[in-house]
């Protein structure tokens, strides 16, 4: 028997994903639609000996093909022609949702209307007659409550018993479609678009008048009362900052980072030591021993230690999104973010960039438009992530012991300023022809469906492990080869390695920045893998043993003062810090950019343009400082 195909479509925040997760559970496949970074969710279920494929289409307010989501929805429905198209509607906000319903009917796409969140509507005193709605438009109508398993599972009975060919538009809908077609005959103009929108709302008003009873509706809802504090007035921004700070702390201090540190200990110390001893006992050749321990295990470990951060962050974001608060974040921040060329939703990925660029880049997928997603991805690497902080702290302690905290803070400010400036530049250059749509909806507050939260967290975290991890692993092994081999074979000193030769080759680029020596060039190249390696690489190259990001900054400064002081001045150290702050994202972030954009050209662009910006800014710092006598 052939598999029945069902497509779920509807506005954002209608409970569509909850229905999808309840129907399919873990029987899902998550990928990307061809050519775009929007998630493609397909699930499978069997009911009454019938195989059913369920596709969760991206949430969208219209199908005008003005965004990737809208294009995906209309292309899929017209080309694939699924057996049943389920239009999931938030019953507590039926007017807005019917706008998409009418657009689907205009395209002659039969729909099964699912009045979801009927419990929310009842709480608001809203009563809807499914029978009247069905008779008025000619399509089948069902009721569901997203969190009620029995209610959602009953949809399977509807799917297997409904034949959409038996339904057709009523005279009201046909007259409406005819009027739309007449307007479009005179051309696709702004005036005609306004006429069409007005006509749609006129039909919606007729439908609402005949099917919805609001006589018992409450004058002020609980959501409106909460929004008086969280989304309006003087307290909105401070409360937003407090919530974002809590997410930041949960991810990078309280939960995510401690787990990451423990994983790092288990993998890079316990497991690595165990494997090293075992290989030594077996008499394995030194080169193979080093490849396995320093290349393979270190490479895999660098991926796995990020996993707790990824999962913790996306759990927090999915939880907040489920409560309805993420829409308030965009509402509060939109006026501020528009000055930087982004919309309000762009604030969350940027805030996360102060902890780690990887989850920040992945968090950009929550933004509405492709333009906003790309700008956010490309400016996030300028921010001071946790991996850059040890570099800044060490150099500040060595060269500015009395002003170390102020110097580190200045590096944070440099990163913020460059992120804002480059967001504006990208907005008017690379993405100037891209449209940035921003439709703001404030859904009611509710406790999130934990099954949906956990599934979304797993889906996003799994994507990092499977795809980004392969790139990170390969690049980590490559760096091992470069640091342990020359063109003539293995080396016993890093100064003779290909990495050192590459450092010498690029060092001339920093002649005007004051640090044109191969050690700095090698550290910069190693920093592409992970910014933390800048410190350990310089410690090795300058002959200082056991210097790492885990040691106390003061002790590390004492060890490196004499050696670094011979190669850097205070001014060239500042220039080096600025360059390290701004240049290429690490391999982990570059791999994530590849996963999120789907194209190597954006990986190359991110590497080249950030490095160019870093070179220019560090040049200006050194040259202007020299002119001023520093």
């Amino acid at each position: 028997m052939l598999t029945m195909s069902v497509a779920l479509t509807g506005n954002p925040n209608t409970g569509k994903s909850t229905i999808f997760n309840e129907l399919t559970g873990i029987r899902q496949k998550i990928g990307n639609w061809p050519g775009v970074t929007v998630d493609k969710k397909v699930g499978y279920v069997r009911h009454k000996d019938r195989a059913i494929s369920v596709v969760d289409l991206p949430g969208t307010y219209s199908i005008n093909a003005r965004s990737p989501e809208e294009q995906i929805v209309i292309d899929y429905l017209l080309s694939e022609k699924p057996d049943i198209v389920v239009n999931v509607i938030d019953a507590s906000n039926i007017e807005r949702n019917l706008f998409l319903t009418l657009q689907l009917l205009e395209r002659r796409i039969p729909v099964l209307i699912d009045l979801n969140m009927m419990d929310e509507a009842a709480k608001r005193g809203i009563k809807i007659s499914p029978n009247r709605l069905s008779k008025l438009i000619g399509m089948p109508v069902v009721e569901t409550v997203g969190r009620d398993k029995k209610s959602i599972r009953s949809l399977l009975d509807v799917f297997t018993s409904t034949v959409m060919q038996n339904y057709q538009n009523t005279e009201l809908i046909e007259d409406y479609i005819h009027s739309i077609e007449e307007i479009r005959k005179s051309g696709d103009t702004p005036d005609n678009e306004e006429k069409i929108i007005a006509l749609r709302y006129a039909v919606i008003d007729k439908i609402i008048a005949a099917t919805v009873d609001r006589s018992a509706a409450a004058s002020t809802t609980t959501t409106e009362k909460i929004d008086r504090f969280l989304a309006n007035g003087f307290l909105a921004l401070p409360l937003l900052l407090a919530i974002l700070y809590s997410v930041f702390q949960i991810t990078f201090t309280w939960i995510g980072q401690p787990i990451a540190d423990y994983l790092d200990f288990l993998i890079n110390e316990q497991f690595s030591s165990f494997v090293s001893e075992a290989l030594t006992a077996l008499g394995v050749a030194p080169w193979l021993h080093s490849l396995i321990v320093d290349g393979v295990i270190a490479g895999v470990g660098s991926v796995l230690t990020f996993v707790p951060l990824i999962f913790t962050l996306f759990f927090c974001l999915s939880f907040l999104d489920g409560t309805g608060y993420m829409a308030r974040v965009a509402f509060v921040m939109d006026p501020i973010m528009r000055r930087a060329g982004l919309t309000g939703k762009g604030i969350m990925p940027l805030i996360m960039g102060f902890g780690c660029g990887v989850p920040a880049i992945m968090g950009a997928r929550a933004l509405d438009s492709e333009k906003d997603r790309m700008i956010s991805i490309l400016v996030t690497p300028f921010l001071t992530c946790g991996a850059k902080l040890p570099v800044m702290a060490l150099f500040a302690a060595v060269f500015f012991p009395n002003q170390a905290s102020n110097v580190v803070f200045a590096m944070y400010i440099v990163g913020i300023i460059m992120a804002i400036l480059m967001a504006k530049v990208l907005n008017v250059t690379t993405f100037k022809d891209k449209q940035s749509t921003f439709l703001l909806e404030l859904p009611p507050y509710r406790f999130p469906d934990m099954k949906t939260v956990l599934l979304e967290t797993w889906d996003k975290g799994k994507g990092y492990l499977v795809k980004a991890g392969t790139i990170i692993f390969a690049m980590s092994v490559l760096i091992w080869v470069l640091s342990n081999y020359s063109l003539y074979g293995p080396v016993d000193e890093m100064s003779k390695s290909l990495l050192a030769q590459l450092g010498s080759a690029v060092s001339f680029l920093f002649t005007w920045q004051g640090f044109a020596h191969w050690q700095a060039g090698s550290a910069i190249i190693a920093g592409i893998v992970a910014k933390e390696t800048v410190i350990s690489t310089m410690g090795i190259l300058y002959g200082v043993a056991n210097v790492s990001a885990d040691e106390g900054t003061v002790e590390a400064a004492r060890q490196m003062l004499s050696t670094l002081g011979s190669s850097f001045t205070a001014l060239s150290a500042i220039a080096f810090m600025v360059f390290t702050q701004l240049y290429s994202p690490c391999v982990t972030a570059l791999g994530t950019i590849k996963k999120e954009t789907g194209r190597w050209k954006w990986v190359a662009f991110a590497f080249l343009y950030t490095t160019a910006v870093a070179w220019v800014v560090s040049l200006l710092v050194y040259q202007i400082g020299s002119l001023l006598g520093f």
Side-chain angles (χ1 to χ4, degrees), residues 105-123:
L105 295 177
E106 287 171 30
R107 297 295 190 106
R108 304 291 179 181
I109 299 173
V111 295
L112 168 65
I113 296 177
D114 177 9
L115 294 174
N116 193 34
M117 300 186 183
M118 289 296 287
D119 54 337
E120 296 280 352
K123 289 178 182 178

Side-chain angles (χ1 to χ4, degrees), residues 286-565:
W287 70 266
L288 182 58
H289 180 285
S290 180
L291 173 61
I292 295 173
V293 175
D294 302 325
V296 176
I297 295 178
V300 173
S302 69
V303 176
L304 294 182
T305 53
F306 277 102
V307 170
L309 299 177
I310 298 291
F311 278 84
T312 304
L313 172 67
F314 279 115
F315 176 84
C316 292
L317 295 182
S318 297
F319 187 89
L320 282 176
D321 191 43
T323 65
Y325 183 69
M326 290 299 290
R328 275 76 182 177
V329 173
F331 175 78
V332 173
M333 291 302 301
D334 188 59
I336 299 173
M337 294 300 294
R338 283 193 179 276
R339 296 177 182 270
L342 294 169
T343 60
K345 287 187 177 180
I347 183 61
M348 185 62 76
L350 295 183
I351 290 292
M352 291 301 104
F354 289 111
C356 176
V358 173
I361 292 168
M362 295 179 72
R365 64 177 61 177
L367 303 184
D368 289 318
S369 71
E370 186 71 9
K371 173 183 177 179
D372 290 346
R373 280 192 286 267
M374 290 303 303
I375 291 178
S376 179
I377 287 171
L378 293 174
V379 303
T380 294
F382 288 123
L383 302 174
T384 308
C385 66
K388 296 176 184 177
L389 181 57
V391 182
M392 306 306 162
L394 178 64
F395 270 76
V398 169
F399 293 98
F400 309 96
N402 297 325
Q403 297 291 330
S405 60
N406 291 334
V407 172
V408 173
F409 180 72
M411 291 300 107
Y412 274 80
I413 298 301
V414 168
I416 293 170
I417 291 174
M418 292 311 303
I420 293 173
L421 287 178
M422 293 313 300
K424 290 291 290 184
V425 171
L426 291 171
N427 187 53
V428 298
T429 55
T430 307
F431 301 102
K432 65 179 180 179
D433 296 325
K434 300 284 186 179
Q435 295 297 318
S436 181
T437 57
F438 182 58
L439 295 175
L440 185 63
E441 174 201 359
L442 299 182
Y445 289 104
R446 61 176 70 91
F447 190 84
D449 178 67
M450 294 309 297
K451 183 175 183 179
T452 299
V453 170
L454 292 173
L455 281 172
E456 288 182 355
T457 301
W458 168 247
D459 291 337
K460 295 170 183 177
K462 182 176 65 175
Y464 167 77
L465 277 173
V466 173
K467 294 187 177 180
T470 57
I471 299 172
I472 299 162
F473 167 77
M475 291 302 296
S476 297
V477 174
L478 175 61
I479 290 295
W480 175 87
V481 172
L482 292 176
S483 61
N484 285 273
Y485 283 82
S486 69
L487 293 175
Y488 306 102
V491 296
D492 53 1
E493 295 181 13
M494 189 181 290
S495 60
K496 301 176 183 178
S497 68
L498 285 169
L499 181 61
Q501 294 174 32
L502 289 173
S504 298
V506 303
S507 62
F508 78 93
L509 294 173
F510 306 105
T511 301
W512 299 282
Q513 283 89 341
F515 49 90
H517 38 84
W518 71 268
Q519 292 93 336
S522 298
I524 287 170
I525 293 173
I528 297 173
V529 175
K531 291 298 186 288
E532 302 98 319
T533 62
V534 171
I535 294 176
S536 58
T537 301
M538 292 193 108
I540 295 171
L541 297 179
Y542 283 105
V544 181
N546 300 323
V547 176
S548 70
D550 296 328
E551 291 186 46
T553 299
V554 175
E555 180 60 28
R558 289 173 180 170
Q559 291 183 351
M560 299 189 73
L561 180 59
S562 59
T563 50
L564 281 180

Side-chain angles (χ1 to χ4, degrees), residues 225-243:
K225 294 176 182 177
I226 297 175
D227 273 339
R228 290 175 183 173
F229 297 95
L230 292 184
N232 291 288
F234 175 76
L235 291 176
L237 187 57
L239 287 173
L240 166 61
L241 295 176
I243 292 172

Side-chain angles (χ1 to χ4, degrees), residues 2 24 54 63 103 137 147 190 195 201 219 306 342 361 388 416 425-426 435 450 518 542-543 545 590 601 603 630:
L2 294 176
T24 62
V54 185
I63 49 173
Q103 284 190 308
I137 64 174
R147 301 182 189 184
K195 291 179 183 178
Y201 279 114
S219 57
F306 277 102
L342 294 169
I361 292 168
K388 296 176 184 177
I416 293 170
V425 171
L426 291 171
Q435 295 297 318
M450 294 309 297
W518 71 268
Y542 283 105
L590 289 172
K601 77 170 186 177
V603 176
F630 290 101

